[in-house]
Amino acid sequence: DQQVKQNSPSLSVQEGRISILNCDYTNSMFDYFLWYKKYPAEGPTFLISISSIKDKNEDGRFTVFLNKSAKHLSLHIVPSQPGDSAVYFCAARGTYKYIFGTGTRLKVLA
Amino acid sequence: DTAVSQTPKYLVTQMGNDKSIKCEQNLGHDTMYWYKQDSKKFLKIMFSYNNKELIINETVPNRFSPKSPDKAHLNLHINSLELGDSAVYFCASSQLAGGSTGELFFGEGSRLTVL
């Protein structure tokens, strides 16, 4: 039972445009939602998070939106840069565990 | 000064052997975890420890035995290694009480290859 889902395994975007990565979840008890970026042979790196009591959080080029009624969150990257090319994981924090989605590979084309 | 460090980074061994991976965090966090990233690149939780106590064992075979000698360390020992144990194992830590981001901090991973 996959409680956190990323339905798009890959996404290609032109440099300078917006990248939108999506994530759906099923458990209403999660208290934080997070986005991580991962390069090969490295550990996941934290990008941005949002508390379940908020609907938007912004940090520089990264904005996370949370729609609790739809159990959906998204990560917007504006403007996208070639260095943003990586695998992005969304995660949700439950009781003593974080559950990860299956990842979306973002490719930003120069 | 690495926040979450794990050793070794690479491990190649034969089926049936026993091996250990060590993890240390210097962030003062109260909760530590082991995650497995399999061949499909999924990140799955294996164990979580809070203040040295096992909280979650996510149906991991008992060939895997985590040990937390103190809050800053969580080691993973694997007995009788099988081919299917080949994966990247990530240690992580977090502070469940307080904090403003809910962030989970990861180590760099330990790639285990069983031949």
Side-chain angles (χ1 to χ4, degrees):
Chain A
D1 179 28
Q2 191 69 26
Q3 296 186 59
V4 179
K5 294 181 184 178
Q6 293 176 256
N7 291 318
S8 298
S10 64
L11 174 68
S12 291
V13 171
Q14 284 295 131
E15 181 180 6
R17 305 296 290 268
I18 184 171
S19 294
I20 300 176
L21 295 97
N22 294 303
C23 181
D24 298 298
Y25 63 95
T26 57
N27 188 338
S28 299
M29 300 303 290
F30 294 134
D31 67 345
Y32 267 97
F33 300 89
L34 308 93
W35 284 95
Y36 283 81
K37 177 179 181 180
K38 189 178 181 308
Y39 294 116
E42 293 184 12
T45 303
F46 172 75
L47 275 176
I48 191 169
S49 65
I50 186 166
S51 164
S52 61
I53 62 173
K54 297 189 175 180
D55 53 23
K56 178 182 174 181
N57 188 26
E58 194 171 350
D59 183 3
R61 298 187 298 116
F62 302 94
T63 303
V64 56
F65 295 93
L66 177 61
N67 182 334
K68 285 184 285 294
S69 61
K71 293 191 174 69
H72 177 84
L73 66 153
S74 60
L75 174 69
H76 292 209
I77 307 173
V78 182
S80 301
Q81 300 172 353
D84 296 330
S85 297
V87 177
Y88 288 77
F89 290 95
C90 67
R93 189 173 85 170
T95 307
Y96 293 108
K97 62 179 172 182
Y98 292 71
I99 299 176
F100 284 79
T102 50
T104 297
R105 182 177 298 278
L106 173 66
K107 192 170 184 180
V108 180
L109 307 168
Chain B
D1 196 18
T2 306
V4 181
S5 58
Q6 51 184 113
T7 55
K9 188 161 180 161
Y10 298 98
L11 200 50
V12 180
T13 189
Q14 299 287 329
M15 264 196 322
N17 284 350
D18 304 339
K19 289 293 176 187
S20 293
I21 306 171
K22 295 186 175 182
C23 178
E24 176 182 4
Q25 54 97 2
N26 62 8
L27 298 165
H29 288 165
D30 58 7
T31 307
M32 295 186 72
Y33 312 78
W34 278 107
Y35 278 81
K36 178 181 180 181
Q37 186 176 37
D38 60 21
S39 57
K40 292 184 180 177
K41 308 300 183 188
F42 299 161
L43 271 167
K44 292 184 180 175
I45 187 165
M46 300 173 68
F47 302 101
S48 69
Y49 270 71
N50 179 258
N51 288 317
K52 303 192 303 177
E53 299 297 321
L54 176 66
I55 303 297
I56 285 181
N57 176 341
E58 201 75 0
T59 61
V60 179
N62 57 15
R63 296 183 296 104
F64 291 77
S65 51
K67 282 192 173 50
S68 182
D70 55 58
K71 273 175 44 172
H73 295 84
L74 180 61
N75 304 323
L76 183 65
H77 187 75
I78 316 170
N79 290 327
S80 304
L81 279 157
E82 301 176 357
L83 292 176
D85 298 331
S86 295
V88 182
Y89 293 86
F90 288 100
C91 178
S93 73
S94 71
Q95 185 64 29
L96 289 189
S100 58
T101 67
E103 183 178 349
L104 179 67
F105 292 77
F106 281 93
E108 291 196 347
S110 297
R111 179 176 292 278
L112 172 65
T113 303
V114 182
L115 303 175

